[in-house]
Amino acid sequence: MSDLASTASSIYSQALGVIEQVEPRIAAATRAELRDQRASLKLIASENYASLPVLMTMGTWLSDKYAEGTIGHRFYAGCQNVDTVEAVAAEHARELFGAEYAYAQPHSGIDANLVAYWSILAHRVENPTLERLGAKTVNDLSEEDWEALRATFNAQRVMGMALDAGGHLTHGFRHNISGKMFRQLSYGTHPETGLIDYDKLRADAREFKPLILVAGYSAYPRRVNFAKMRDIADEVGATLFVDMAHFAGLVAGKVFTGEENPIPYADVVATTTHKSLRGPRGGLVLATAEYAPSVDRGCPMVLGGPLGHVMAAKAVALAEARQPAFQAYAQAVADNAKTLAEGLRKRGVDLVTGGTDNHLVLLDVGSFGLTGRQAESALLDAGIVTNRNSVPRDPNGAWYTSGVRIGTPALTSRGFGAAEFDAVAELITGVLRATTPVATAAGTPGKAKYLLADGIAERTRAAAAELLDANPLYPGLEL
Ligand code: PLP
């Protein structure tokens, strides 16, 4: 057992023993979660396994400190240590991504996107209005001017990727605050290639004239050309905002370089820290020096007190991502996704866009006669954890869907390589072939209806166990 594993074993065993005395159900659920994560093929494209140092960093008294404000300028006394933590996290983020400015406070990806949107509104709408009216802050505005300014926020336009093309809820979807805040027009993918149609995007942007052009995705299995996005944004006077929540690890690991690296092209970039970046659950905003002062107003604009313990864990994860080993990891994530896609394709599975060149693969399970929901449930029965997802122009809607999204970041962290991912493709295909849909009326609540051929779940679990046991999660950690 490595030193780290034996230290972690004793720390976690003792910590869970303490928790057990207060609320045994939480200690039991925490132990069970480790057992479940160890025993299943985690293919959810947005999940990963953070390192033990990252996980441990989250369990400290930094959680107990209030530190609203910015580094060196807090609304509470005694924030010197949180100042250090936030400054180190921001420094690592700037260095890792080559960004002019980094803001480590957002608690999640959605928070990071809210900071991004409101800082762009502050920079592009609020500040020029204050300047025009000769006011220093909004407090100097008359009631009338303030009401007029407030009304302009809501009149702004944003263009983002459509949800069923792979965009995220926060890119203008009506059920999300971004869709309620802005007038929104979405862009999709080409009906034949499944790729972003930059010509159509440009033509639509010329007509719609968005204040903000959002690039980035949750379920698009291809790379984005950010130089083209910048060009379109410049032509229509839009701010380019990139949400790299999903692929930040591939940017950090220098897999996405040149025109595929958003940092040199975007005004503002937001990300999560827990997906391909393999850090704690949290968010981060990067910006040019021009947008930095507005982003710095994230608290109190949309955030309260920052989570000192999570910012500390972000700093540790970002330090890890600056090591050469992380570049090898990121390259393996992308290589493994190609192997997985090719393994599925050659076994007859339909893939949106025919393959992948990032970390995720989107299966269209319609040819198996299944909905995404049925496929997701059948795979879960066999120990394969995925999530259903819409495919472009999905006939089954956003709840049942026709797709299953899978990704390689988590199992690559466990050490899976090409042979293992080809074996995973075989297991997935086997389960899909062995699943028979049972029809239900659309909109029927309850469990997804399907039948799994006898023995397939057990056989798949046994084959998966061999792969998993050979690539243990947190090896040596015993609870
Ligand atoms: N942005 C994108 C592109 C995402 O895929 C997600 C999460 O799925 C988010 C933002 C939101 O992240 P969080 O769940 O941390 O709020």
Side-chain angles (χ1 to χ4, degrees):
M1 199 191 290
S2 71
D3 284 353
L4 176 61
S6 81
T7 308
S9 289
S10 98
I11 288 173
Y12 281 119
S13 294
Q14 291 180 45
L16 285 167
V18 172
I19 295 164
E20 200 154 32
Q21 291 173 32
V22 183
E23 178 42 288
R25 289 171 297 179
I26 296 302
T30 306
R31 288 196 177 99
E33 181 60 25
L34 179 61
R35 275 198 302 278
D36 289 352
Q37 293 205 23
R38 280 180 159 162
S40 55
L41 288 171
K42 190 203 265 215
L43 285 167
I44 293 185
S46 50
E47 291 187 8
N48 213 326
Y49 306 103
S51 72
L52 291 172
V54 168
L55 295 180
M56 287 174 180
T57 309
M58 279 189 281
T60 79
W61 34 92
L62 283 165
S63 166
D64 297 334
K65 185 75 196 102
Y66 246 109
E68 283 177 29
T70 51
I71 300 167
H73 191 79
R74 308 280 184 186
F75 291 90
Y76 288 79
C79 297
Q80 59 282 1
N81 301 310
V82 178
D83 277 351
T84 303
V85 162
E86 186 174 347
V88 173
E91 177 194 294
H92 279 310
R94 282 194 310 275
E95 295 290 326
L96 176 65
F97 292 107
E100 289 174 5
Y101 168 79
Y103 186 65
Q105 293 194 18
H107 311 330
S108 70
I110 280 203
D111 281 3
N113 288 358
L114 270 180
V115 170
Y117 282 134
W118 279 103
S119 57
I120 295 167
L121 287 174
H123 186 68
R124 298 276 315 266
V125 179
E126 185 174 308
N127 292 350
T129 306
L130 294 181
E131 207 169 306
R132 184 168 50 78
L133 296 172
K136 255 182 120 179
T137 81
V138 288
N139 292 339
D140 302 331
L141 297 180
S142 67
E143 279 304 309
E144 230 178 8
D145 286 338
W146 173 232
E147 281 308 321
L149 173 59
R150 272 172 18 88
T152 60
F153 290 140
N154 202 246
Q156 302 305 319
R157 293 157 193 260
V158 66
M159 261 182 95
M161 198 171 197
L163 200 62
D164 78 346
H168 189 251
L169 299 168
T170 51
H171 300 175
F173 190 56
R174 284 189 181 174
H175 291 278
N176 180 261
I177 190 170
S178 58
K180 302 182 200 298
M181 238 163 79
F182 295 116
R183 294 185 184 156
Q184 196 269 355
L185 181 71
S186 53
Y187 56 87
T189 48
H190 193 281
E192 272 148 38
T193 61
L195 304 177
I196 293 174
D197 185 343
Y198 293 98
D199 293 336
K200 177 150 184 0
L201 203 173
R202 185 185 294 275
D204 288 348
R206 277 183 188 144
E207 286 248 318
F208 189 66
K209 297 200 180 2
L211 178 85
I212 305 172
L213 176 61
V214 187
Y217 53 78
S218 299
Y220 179 65
R222 296 289 172 178
R223 300 183 186 192
V224 174
N225 185 313
F226 296 107
K228 282 189 188 166
M229 287 290 188
R230 173 82 260 168
D231 195 51
I232 295 168
D234 283 345
E235 188 182 327
V236 301
T239 296
L240 180 58
F241 162 43
V242 176
D243 177 359
M244 65 169 186
H246 254 264
F247 54 88
L250 300 185
V251 178
K254 313 272 183 277
V255 177
F256 289 3
T257 57
E259 297 186 349
E260 292 162 356
N261 174 7
I263 311 297
Y265 297 101
D267 300 292
V268 180
V269 176
T271 186
T272 54
T273 46
H274 49 274
K275 302 185 202 262
S276 54
L277 200 52
R278 211 166 62 186
R281 189 158 288 272
L284 202 61
V285 179
L286 309 170
T288 58
E290 181 189 338
Y291 280 82
S294 302
V295 175
D296 225 24
R297 287 158 57 191
C299 166
M301 198 157 46
V302 290
L303 300 175
L307 313 178
H309 57 311
V310 181
M311 291 196 298
K314 288 176 200 173
V316 172
L318 290 164
E320 289 177 347
R322 291 183 66 192
Q323 299 299 316
F326 193 85
Q327 293 189 16
Y329 163 71
Q331 189 58 54
V333 166
D335 294 345
N336 287 337
K338 273 205 185 326
T339 304
L340 180 58
E342 183 50 27
L344 291 163
R345 200 198 54 75
K346 74 183 182 208
R347 291 175 174 91
V349 181
D350 288 340
L351 304 179
V352 173
T353 79
T356 179
D357 51 27
N358 56 23
H359 63 295
L360 70 89
V361 183
L362 189 55
L363 285 60
D364 186 335
V365 293
S367 62
F368 291 93
L370 301 171
T371 62
R373 187 159 188 251
Q374 289 164 328
E376 173 196 86
S377 300
L379 288 164
L380 185 63
D381 289 346
I384 304 176
V385 190
T386 65
N387 67 282
R388 66 186 182 281
N389 207 101
S390 299
V391 299
R393 294 160 281 278
D394 200 312
N396 288 325
W399 177 251
Y400 290 97
T401 81
S402 306
V404 171
R405 185 187 69 163
I406 55 180
T408 53
L411 291 180
T412 303
S413 291
R414 266 182 97 139
F416 278 41
E420 290 82 2
F421 273 104
D422 189 60
V424 169
E426 173 72 23
L427 295 179
I428 292 173
T429 314
V431 173
L432 294 178
R433 282 191 191 131
T435 306
T436 315
V438 175
T440 51
T444 311
K447 271 180 77 68
K449 302 289 194 301
Y450 58 93
L451 283 175
L452 210 49
D454 273 354
I456 183 81
E458 295 72 18
R459 282 199 300 281
T460 306
R461 279 181 182 276
E466 277 188 31
L467 299 171
L468 293 164
D469 291 348
N471 296 277
L473 173 63
Y474 307 128
L477 174 61
E478 307 293 341
L479 291 184

